[in-house]
Amino acid sequence: MTTVNSPKSKPFVYTQKTIERAERSVICSPFNLSLFVAMQSQSINLGAIATEIGVQQGYTKHPLSELVCDNALCWLIEVGILRREVDGQGITDGFRLTPLGYKLVEKFLDTNFPRPSLGDRLNNAMTRWLRLPF
């Protein structure tokens, strides 16, 4: 990622709680690090992630239906790791990394994602399913 040297540009600053929630969400997701590495340089469409294609590409741990895949990707959008790609017609089915997503990929690039603990999975599930709608 390139940095623009502009007097008005400010780096994104995230709280520790935000970073921890994002890390927990990404390691509990059904996606492999290779998906996020690919998203560093290009938008990845839902069709390339879901079903057997995602497993063949190395993007998912197991085949996911399009609905399950879209729900998992939308959760990562809410956490702040991903964003939907937009073209001249509006929102597409492509996904890209946000600055927080880039930060996480850089952190795990040499080590891969750690295996989530039971506590990580429970905390992620509670955060995801019991969150307030605002």
Side-chain angles (χ1 to χ4, degrees):
M1 186 163 87
T2 59
T3 305
V4 178
N5 292 328
S6 170
K8 293 184 179 182
S9 74
K10 296 178 183 177
F12 288 94
V13 179
Y14 301 100
T15 65
Q16 188 60 33
K17 184 177 178 180
T18 299
I19 293 170
E20 289 171 2
R21 183 182 64 226
E23 285 180 16
R24 188 173 51 250
S25 297
V26 80
I27 67 170
C28 290
S29 76
F31 307 114
N32 293 324
L33 180 61
S34 60
L35 172 64
F36 301 104
V37 170
M39 286 181 178
Q40 284 183 311
S41 59
Q42 63 186 355
S43 172
I44 306 292
N45 290 332
L46 179 63
I49 304 169
T51 66
E52 286 290 332
I53 297 169
V55 176
Q56 293 168 0
Q57 299 267 5
Y59 293 160
T60 62
K61 299 170 183 167
H62 51 81
L64 303 171
S65 70
E66 284 193 7
L67 179 61
V68 169
C69 187
D70 190 57
N71 284 338
L73 291 167
C74 286
W75 170 242
L76 296 179
I77 288 172
E78 287 188 45
V79 172
I81 298 168
L82 299 179
R83 64 181 174 87
R84 284 228 188 233
E85 186 73 359
V86 179
D87 64 8
Q89 305 268 321
I91 294 177
T92 68
D93 70 342
F95 296 85
R96 292 190 71 101
L97 291 176
T98 63
L100 178 58
Y102 278 100
K103 185 176 185 125
L104 290 178
V105 170
E106 289 174 9
K107 177 178 180 176
F108 292 115
L109 197 55
D110 296 329
T111 61
N112 213 339
F113 293 145
R115 187 177 169 111
S117 68
L118 180 60
D120 288 334
R121 290 192 184 279
L122 288 173
N123 198 335
N124 186 61
M126 287 177 35
T127 303
R128 184 173 178 178
W129 299 112
L130 300 177
R131 69 187 182 279
L132 295 175
F134 52 85

